Amino acid sequence: MTQSLINRLQLPVKQCFVNIGAVDNASTVSERYTTATFYSTYNNSKHQLNFSIVPTIAEKVPNETFPREKFNIPKNIKLADPQFHIPRPVDVLLASGPTISSLAIGQIKLNGEGSQITLQKTSFGWIGAGGSIPSMIPNSVSCNAVRLDSLLERFMAMEDVDYQPIKSEEDVACERYYIQTTTRDSSGRYIVRLPFRSGKFDLGSSKYQALQRFQALQRKFDANPRFRVEYEKEFNGYLELGHMTLCEDDNNDGYYLPHHAVIKESSETTKCRVVFDASTKSSTGISLNDTRC
């Protein structure tokens, strides 16, 4: 699949490294691939495949426009590409497996003056191959071929490709931090310390913002006692699990994590979920998220 089609469809891509061979030892390398599902406009068939991404696949096909009206195409034939006689760029090239599996019983050879057209029925509709015999030798002729015998097998093992992306110093430091600080308690639960960025970060006070949020919650509690019960239930759970401890002295300023609730009445388990807002700016304009890796 060409990069231009990826951009138009805005498909997500992954890293890979696939050698694509061609004629006369020519080759190219695809370093990214995508997974896409394409549907037939002819029937309900669909295919999901992995596509290597390349800048270009081939020149425009056909080489030049030929007179379609010279070929007596049956009116009941539904073509996969009604404008197959007009040169257009190739954005997708299928491997032999999906191509053969799309073929259906049905083939028509069109008779006409200088005709070399053969129609083949597929799950995408009828496709045409061939063209008109030119009255004179063209100035240029293109031949496009790609070795696909092993490419499909490479697609199947693409997730196992030993690809090592270049990591930044910050990524390496973050991984090292997790290795050094991650522990496991007697119950089998993993305990991981919050990773902070290197350098000095002046994380200021957020007590005022947290109190403002809490006062807004108190007004909601007064208006909805059931909401208070659900909210307190969540925090009591944090205390019982040891995820939270009571603050004995809150007279000093410091960084306080504001929180609010997300209510989902349709949930069969937890209708009230507490959300902690680590993106709230402190008095220095820096949030907790700003200091973390």
Side-chain angles (χ1 to χ4, degrees), residues 19 114 116 123 183 274:
N19 286 306
Q116 291 181 332
S123 59
T183 59
V274 177

Side-chain angles (χ1 to χ4, degrees), residues 163-176 179:
Y163 178 80
Q164 295 294 332
I166 299 176
K167 298 179 180 179
S168 65
E169 293 183 2
E170 192 173 67
D171 291 336
V172 174
C174 187
E175 291 182 2
R176 188 187 309 115
I179 294 174

Side-chain angles (χ1 to χ4, degrees), residues 57-76:
I57 294 177
E59 299 294 332
K60 290 184 178 181
V61 178
N63 294 326
E64 58 183 3
T65 302
F66 58 87
R68 174 184 165 177
E69 62 274 6
K70 287 186 177 182
F71 309 113
N72 298 319
I73 301 176
K75 294 183 179 180
N76 62 325

Side-chain angles (χ1 to χ4, degrees), residues 63-64 132-142:
N63 294 326
E64 58 183 3
S132 59
I133 300 176
S135 58
M136 57 182 296
I137 298 177
N139 294 328
S140 63
V141 177
S142 64

Side-chain angles (χ1 to χ4, degrees), residues 1 20 32 50 55 62 65 70 99 122 134 184 200 216 222 226 245 265 278:
M1 185 177 294
I20 303 175
R32 297 191 303 165
N50 291 328
T65 302
K70 287 186 177 182
T99 300
T122 74
R184 195 175 186 183
K200 295 181 179 179
D222 294 339
R226 181 183 173 186
T245 57
E265 294 293 342

Side-chain angles (χ1 to χ4, degrees), residues 204-278:
S205 172
S206 63
K207 185 175 182 179
Y208 175 77
Q209 294 92 319
L211 284 175
Q212 291 290 104
R213 296 279 191 93
F214 185 69
Q215 290 170 1
L217 275 174
Q218 289 284 13
R219 290 192 290 270
K220 292 182 179 179
F221 291 159
D222 294 339
N224 188 347
R226 181 183 173 186
F227 174 45
R228 174 192 289 272
V229 172
E230 291 290 333
Y231 208 82
E232 290 180 348
K233 180 180 178 181
E234 286 292 302
F235 273 89
N236 288 332
Y238 295 149
L239 288 171
E240 294 173 1
L241 293 173
H243 297 168
M244 181 178 70
T245 57
L246 291 174
C247 178
E248 300 295 340
D249 183 11
D250 62 349
N251 293 323
N252 297 325
D253 286 335
Y255 188 82
Y256 290 78
L257 199 58
H259 51 84
H260 61 275
V262 173
I263 306 297
K264 189 175 182 180
E265 294 293 342
S266 60
S267 176
E268 296 181 357
T269 55
T270 305
K271 297 182 181 296
C272 174
R273 181 168 59 90
V274 177
V275 177
F276 294 92
D277 188 3

Side-chain angles (χ1 to χ4, degrees), residues 143-160:
C143 177
N144 308 296
V146 177
R147 292 181 57 186
L148 297 175
D149 51 352
S150 61
L151 187 57
L152 186 59
E153 296 179 5
R154 296 292 300 273
F155 279 147
M156 300 299 294
M158 198 167 293
E159 292 290 348
D160 298 327

